[in-house]
Amino acid sequence: MACIGSGRLCAHVEKLCQFGHFTQLRRKVSTTTCVKSRPVISRTSGTLLQRCQNKTNTQDSRINLARATSTMQTQMPGSLPDYQIDPYRLIEDDLKDIFDEIRLELINNNTQEELHPISTYYFDGQGKAIRPMFTILMARAINYHNGRNDLSHSQRQIAMISEMIHTSSLLHDDVIDQSDFRRGKPSVNVVWSQKKVAMAGNYILAVTCMMISRIRNDDVTVTISQIINDLVQGEFMQLGSKETENERFAHYLTKTYRKTSSLIANCVKAVNVHCFSLFISAQINVGLAFQLVDDLLDFVASSAAMGKPTATDLKLGLATAPVLFACERYPELNAMIMRRFQEPGDVEKAFELVHKSNGLEQTRFLAKKHCVEANKIAQSFAKSPYQKALMIMTDLVINRMK
């Protein structure tokens, strides 16, 4: 059974929203926040997984960073497993020099010297490398599931591409959002002009296209192209809003899929284009959880811890999950959302109401549910260190502090 396409996956998210799935979940979250429970997760069919099987032919500083950012404990449904495996150590050789190799690709493919420092500015090894990590772990877990214990050159290239697409979007975000600070240093648009930064973001995407073409696989090309398609559509969706609460939440989740989950899920599809769609669903869940936690941290983490300003979304006029959940208790937020927090005092008032509501707890609850779902799917893989590492990575996602 071939993987279903990204468009169909996103349509599935939209359908769930339209038919009230997330509305019911929000009601459940409202009444069970911070109460331990065991979520009902559908069982995975071993027959379908067998069908899939038959179909398919860092450095110490980053390790320490991961450990340091996995300290916040939750009191949400179920407990994530505690395996004695360090994902960073496990694939250290696969991740080694990945940023150096990206910088070489960017430097060797142009003759404009000023473009070098701009395009490589965020490839300094200070990022979390979450996307290449998930891509490599999933590639190795799928390979092992299919009787192989290796990582192909093209799979590692896709891991590099995942980080490059993400970073190009950061350059564009910094221009659009007029950022001042990212990853503990001045944003790229502060150091260079906005025009040069925008062109550098385009250049990174151009180099990824060259790397994709060298893989010489049409299915991979289409799959990676879908990521950029989704990313642009997600940005356009972020510019708009919906009037009713249900429409807003559906809009938010679909936008989150396009901007965050699509990259992680489609990179997994690209490393094995014949994998079962259930494996891709696991990474959709991880991507949604990652963004939910990111939106949560915008309200609770310090600027020093995040390496970038906090409460940024409100200042940009964006209503994320904590605000949408808070609307249930404080309906006056609805008017602020519709005017995108533009009136004097809107940002401060909305920030206060979110903290007075259960919006933060509800957001973490929902993120945890997505992680538990991803882990349920990961358990369907053949037992291996990579399968266990994937489950540990969901713990890093839900408990991260930056």
Side-chain angles (χ1 to χ4, degrees):
M1 184 175 180
C3 296
I4 59 178
S6 171
R8 288 178 60 194
L9 288 170
C10 195
H12 180 61
V13 173
E14 290 175 325
K15 188 177 293 184
L16 288 174
C17 296
Q18 290 166 0
F19 284 94
H21 172 81
F22 288 112
T23 304
Q24 294 170 14
L25 176 59
R26 288 164 62 199
R27 292 198 190 102
K28 182 177 180 180
V29 170
S30 299
T31 58
T32 58
T33 300
C34 291
V35 177
K36 275 199 165 187
S37 62
R38 187 172 183 176
V40 179
I41 306 294
S42 59
R43 297 179 60 186
T44 302
S45 167
T47 305
L48 289 174
L49 290 176
Q50 185 63 42
R51 195 181 302 169
C52 165
Q53 188 174 16
N54 294 338
K55 182 74 177 179
T56 316
N57 300 311
T58 74
Q59 307 298 330
D60 289 341
S61 61
R62 196 176 296 124
I63 294 167
N64 292 333
L65 172 64
R67 290 170 177 155
T69 57
S70 183
T71 57
M72 181 186 291
Q73 298 302 311
T74 64
Q75 299 178 1
M76 300 303 160
S79 58
L80 293 172
D82 182 18
Y83 294 106
Q84 299 303 312
I85 290 178
D86 187 330
Y88 286 83
R89 291 285 187 194
L90 183 64
I91 60 171
E92 188 173 10
D93 289 342
D94 296 327
L95 280 175
K96 185 179 180 182
D97 303 325
I98 199 166
F99 288 107
D100 291 337
E101 292 176 34
I102 290 173
R103 286 196 296 270
L104 280 176
E105 285 281 356
L106 294 172
I107 291 171
N108 291 339
N109 281 291
N110 80 83
T111 58
Q112 303 298 314
E113 289 191 10
E114 191 177 8
L115 191 53
H116 298 169
I118 308 175
S119 61
T120 61
Y121 188 67
Y122 288 137
F123 294 112
D124 55 1
Q126 298 304 306
K128 294 180 285 293
I130 290 291
R131 291 154 189 85
M133 278 200 68
F134 269 114
T135 302
I136 290 171
L137 284 171
M138 282 295 292
R140 282 196 169 275
I142 292 171
N143 291 350
Y144 192 92
H145 188 84
N146 293 315
R148 292 169 46 198
N149 192 18
D150 63 350
L151 182 76
S152 70
H153 174 72
S154 63
Q155 287 175 328
R156 191 171 183 278
Q157 288 286 295
I158 291 167
M160 291 172 60
I161 288 168
S162 72
E163 187 68 9
M164 294 172 73
I165 292 175
H166 168 61
T167 304
S168 72
S169 75
L170 296 185
L171 268 67
H172 290 148
D173 280 349
D174 285 348
V175 171
I176 294 170
D177 300 338
Q178 299 287 289
S179 303
D180 297 319
F181 205 61
R182 187 185 291 279
R183 293 181 179 174
K185 63 182 182 180
S187 300
V188 64
N189 58 298
V190 173
V191 183
W192 291 279
S193 73
Q194 294 188 20
K195 287 184 179 180
K196 290 179 179 178
V197 172
M199 288 187 286
N202 295 343
Y203 170 67
I204 295 172
L205 286 177
V207 174
T208 65
C209 291
M210 296 169 68
M211 294 170 66
I212 294 167
S213 68
R214 292 200 293 264
I215 295 175
R216 298 180 182 277
N217 184 309
D218 289 345
D219 289 331
V220 170
T221 301
V222 170
T223 300
I224 299 296
S225 299
Q226 184 64 52
I227 295 171
I228 301 172
N229 183 319
D230 285 334
L231 193 56
V232 174
Q233 290 189 66
E235 287 291 347
F236 267 81
M237 290 184 71
Q238 188 163 279
L239 297 175
S241 185
K242 298 293 183 180
E243 291 193 12
T244 69
E245 289 186 39
N246 288 346
E247 286 180 327
R248 275 193 215 121
F249 218 87
H251 187 85
Y252 165 78
L253 287 169
T254 307
K255 180 267 296 181
T256 297
Y257 165 77
R258 292 193 185 280
K259 287 195 62 178
T260 306
S261 294
S262 175
L263 195 159
I264 298 174
N266 278 298
C267 281
V268 168
K269 181 179 177 181
V271 298
N272 191 317
V273 293
H274 297 298
C275 69
F276 182 49
S277 60
L278 194 65
F279 296 160
I280 302 174
S281 297
Q283 298 313 297
I284 291 177
N285 278 289
V286 168
L288 290 172
F290 188 91
Q291 189 58 52
L292 284 163
V293 173
D294 210 54
D295 295 342
L296 168 74
L297 292 176
D298 196 45
F299 283 89
V300 300
S302 67
S303 296
M306 291 288 284
K308 60 183 179 181
T310 54
T312 301
D313 292 329
L314 287 176
K315 295 170 186 173
L316 293 172
L318 305 178
T320 55
V323 179
L324 297 178
F325 278 125
C327 283
E328 296 176 346
R329 183 170 177 183
Y330 297 105
E332 57 263 45
L333 282 166
N334 288 307
M336 298 185 203
I337 291 171
M338 291 310 297
R339 61 179 180 255
R340 300 182 71 86
F341 311 103
Q342 292 300 304
E343 289 191 4
D346 277 359
V347 170
E348 294 77 12
K349 185 62 177 178
F351 191 86
E352 176 189 351
L353 293 179
V354 167
H355 279 271
K356 288 173 66 177
S357 72
N358 290 327
L360 299 175
E361 291 84 354
Q362 290 169 303
T363 300
R364 185 171 288 280
F365 184 96
L366 182 55
K368 185 68 177 289
K369 282 187 70 70
H370 281 296
C371 283
V372 171
E373 176 70 13
N375 275 356
K376 281 287 185 180
I377 297 171
Q379 288 173 5
S380 306
F381 283 111
K383 302 293 184 184
S384 72
Y386 309 109
Q387 176 232 27
K388 294 177 181 178
L390 281 168
M391 299 173 78
I392 294 171
M393 284 297 293
T394 61
D395 184 50
L396 292 177
V397 166
I398 199 70
N399 291 325
R400 66 193 181 95
M401 293 293 292
K402 63 182 291 183

